[in-house]
Amino acid sequence: MRILVTGGCGFVGSTICIGLKEKYRNFEIIAFDNLKRRGSELNIPRLREHEVSFIHGDVRIASDFDRIDDISVIIDASAEPSVLAGIEGSTDYLIDTNFSGTINCLNLARKWKAKFIFLSTSRVYSIPQLEHVRYVEDETRFRLLADQNCAGASDNGFTEDFPTGGYRSLYGTTKLASELAIEEYHHLFGLDTIINRCGVLTGPYQMGKVDQGVVVLWMARHFWPKQLKYIGFGGTGKQVRDILHIDDLVSLIDFQLSNFDLFNGQVFNIGGGLEVSISLRELTAMCEEVTGNKIEIIGQPENRVADIPIYIADTTKVFRCAKWQPKKGVMEVLKDVFIWLSNDETRLKELLS
Ligand SMILES: NC(=O)c1ccc[n+]([C@@H]2O[C@H](COP(=O)([O-])OP(=O)(O)OC[C@H]3O[C@@H](n4cnc5c(N)ncnc54)[C@H](O)[C@@H]3O)[C@@H](O)[C@H]2O)c1
C-alpha cells in the first residue's frame, strides 16, 4: 500500500503514519503537511526515523498534490482543528483548509482511485440540541439521564442519529460540509470512503493548547505548575467528555484499512465511550495523582462560545462493525502523556507550559 496522510505532521496524522509503518514495513507512507500547527515540525525527525516520507504542501492548493502519484489510500487528517477557529478575524483559512482542502483531497483520491478515510468530529452535532439534553449534576460531573427527548441520545451518550441541524461552530460546519461532499463522491464516483467522527483524541505528541487538546493542556499545566480555569457551566469543572488514546484510534484505522468493505460509505462515532469519560474536575484529581503537583484552578462561570456541558460518543455502531474497543483508560492516557513530557521536557516546555 502507498498511503498519503494529509496533516501527517500533526498529532493524529503523525501517530497514524508511524503506527502503520511500524506494523507494515513494506507500506510506503507519505506525510503531507504545511506545518501550520506549532509543534508539528517536531514530528519531522520522528517521521524520518520511521522511514515515513515528508512532503511540505498545503491542501488548499490543488497543485501541491501534483508531486504525488499512484496512491492507494488517503487519510485526511489535515485541519484547523479548534472549535474557536474563525470566530475572531477571517474565516478564510478555516474554510479553505477544512472544506476546500477536503475537496482537493477527494479529487486526488478520485484521480488515483484511492480509498479515503476522513477524520471528522463530534462537533458536527447541533449545539442547541446538545445544550438541551437531560442530565443531572453529581458531585464531580454531569451525568446523562436515560430518558431523553431527542433522537440518538441516551445515558450511554450520542449515536450517529443525533441531530446535526442547528449551529455547531464554524469548525463543525466545515467538517459537516466535508462529510456531505464525501457522501457525494462516494455515490457519484464510487469512491470508497469512511467517515470517523471523533470526539476528544489525546495522547503523546499532542500540542495541547487552551482551545484544542484539553487533556494534554491539563497535564502540562500540572507538570509545569501554572494556573488553569474551569470555564463555563457554573465554573465547577463538571463538564464531561469521553476521551480516546491515539493508539486506540490507530488500531481502529489499521482494522478499517484491512476490512474496508465493512465500513465503506458509512459514518461512525469514535471515542472512548462512557467507560473512558471524565469531567474536568476528575481530570484535575488524576493529574494531581500522576504529577504529584497541585495547581490553582479558578472558576469562571460564564460559558465560552460553542462550548457544551457533556459529550460522550455512543460507539455501539463501530463496536459492532469492528469488534474494536479502546484498550486504554483515562489513567493510562495520562501516564503516557506524563512519560512523553518527562522524556522531552526541555523542548516541550517552551511549547506547552
Ligand atoms: N485531536 C482531536 O481531539 C480531534 C478530535 C476530532 C477530530 N479531529 C480531527 O483529526 C484531524 C487531526 O487533528 P489533530 O488533533 O492531529 O490536529 P493537529 O493540529 O495536530 O494536526 C493537523 C495538521 O494539519 C496541518 N495543516 C493545517 N492546515 C493545513 C493545510 N492547509 N495544508 C496542509 N496541512 C495543514 C497542521 O500543520 C497539523 O500538522 C483533524 O482533521 C481534526 O479535525 C481531531
Side-chain angles (χ1 to χ4, degrees):
M1 273 201 209
R2 189 165 147 81
I3 301 177
L4 177 74
V5 181
T6 65
C9 295
F11 161 56
V12 172
S14 64
T15 316
I16 292 174
C17 288
I18 289 169
L20 292 177
K21 189 69 187 179
E22 275 179 339
K23 187 158 174 200
Y24 306 103
R25 298 306 302 167
N26 58 331
F27 280 15
E28 212 179 312
I29 302 185
I30 305 160
F32 179 99
D33 204 298
N34 72 348
L35 304 179
K36 170 78 170 20
R37 176 76 177 253
R38 227 187 130 215
S40 290
E41 67 286 356
L42 299 185
N43 286 319
I44 297 174
R46 273 178 74 225
L47 291 165
R48 213 170 275 139
E49 252 169 55
H50 287 85
E51 294 172 23
V52 172
S53 11
F54 167 59
I55 293 186
H56 187 272
D58 196 313
V59 294
R60 296 172 299 166
I61 305 166
S63 58
D64 277 7
F65 287 134
D66 289 350
R67 287 171 281 169
I68 291 157
D69 60 6
D70 208 18
I71 38 170
S72 40
V73 177
I74 297 179
I75 300 174
D76 185 5
S78 61
E80 165 46 77
S82 166
V83 76
L84 298 180
I87 291 176
E88 279 175 18
S90 168
T91 57
D92 288 357
Y93 189 83
L94 173 74
I95 293 168
D96 293 348
T97 293
N98 291 15
F99 179 65
S100 308
T102 308
I103 302 291
N104 289 334
C105 292
L106 282 168
N107 287 332
L108 184 69
R110 196 178 161 204
K111 176 174 172 188
W112 295 105
K113 297 189 173 36
K115 297 184 188 320
F116 190 83
I117 296 182
F118 184 62
L119 271 298
S120 190
T121 170
S122 55
R123 285 305 192 152
V124 298
Y125 295 119
S126 161
I127 291 178
Q129 295 282 355
L130 285 166
E131 282 172 336
H132 287 103
V133 294
R134 303 186 61 232
Y135 62 87
V136 287
E137 187 171 340
D138 285 353
E139 203 176 314
T140 61
R141 63 159 69 194
F142 300 140
R143 197 176 298 279
L144 286 168
L145 291 171
D147 178 25
Q148 296 286 342
N149 43 20
C150 177
S154 76
D155 51 351
N156 200 36
F158 305 107
T159 70
E160 295 79 359
D161 296 327
F162 195 78
T164 53
Y167 62 90
R168 61 192 76 65
S169 80
L170 286 166
Y171 165 63
T173 298
T174 57
K175 288 294 202 172
L176 184 61
S178 290
E179 286 194 8
L180 295 176
I182 292 164
E183 213 170 276
E184 293 305 322
Y185 274 64
H186 174 75
H187 287 283
L188 286 176
F189 308 128
L191 209 67
D192 291 338
T193 60
I194 299 173
I195 294 172
N196 290 320
R197 278 183 190 158
C198 305
V200 174
L201 304 168
T202 190
Y205 302 100
Q206 183 170 41
M207 303 302 164
K209 51 193 181 99
V210 171
D211 59 337
Q212 209 259 342
V214 65
V215 175
V216 168
L217 171 80
W218 227 254
M219 268 300 289
R221 292 283 173 93
H222 281 82
F223 190 88
W224 296 289
K226 200 170 171 186
Q227 188 193 77
L228 278 169
K229 284 183 188 166
Y230 292 136
I231 301 176
F233 312 102
T236 56
K238 292 188 181 176
Q239 54 267 60
V240 172
R241 301 288 187 270
D242 63 326
I243 68 174
L244 185 71
H245 193 294
I246 187 65
D247 290 350
D248 281 320
L249 179 74
V250 173
S251 77
L252 174 68
I253 287 185
D254 178 16
F255 185 87
Q256 289 179 328
L257 285 173
S258 27
N259 299 274
F260 213 96
D261 288 349
L262 289 177
F263 301 86
N264 196 4
Q266 298 184 67
V267 176
F268 297 90
N269 278 355
I270 309 297
L274 188 56
E275 253 179 63
V276 196
S277 67
I278 190 154
S279 70
L280 281 180
R281 213 182 168 84
E282 293 162 350
L283 185 59
T284 299
M286 291 175 97
C287 288
E288 285 173 358
E289 191 184 330
V290 174
T291 62
N293 294 333
K294 204 173 168 67
I295 57 163
E296 183 190 15
I297 306 192
I298 296 170
Q300 184 178 301
E302 306 76 36
N303 291 359
R304 196 168 65 175
V305 66
D307 208 356
I308 46 173
I310 184 162
Y311 181 83
I312 293 171
D314 181 330
T315 46
T316 308
K317 183 177 175 189
V318 71
F319 284 6
R320 211 180 304 130
C321 240
K323 296 188 182 62
W324 163 91
Q325 292 227 345
K327 290 203 176 89
K328 299 207 176 176
V330 179
M331 191 43 109
E332 281 152 301
V333 171
L334 296 182
K335 284 184 178 163
D336 278 3
V337 172
F338 179 79
I339 292 168
W340 168 59
L341 299 180
S342 310
N343 288 346
D344 202 359
E345 198 175 336
T346 317
R347 272 195 323 166
L348 293 176
K349 187 173 182 186
E350 200 192 315
L351 276 164
L352 298 176
S353 74

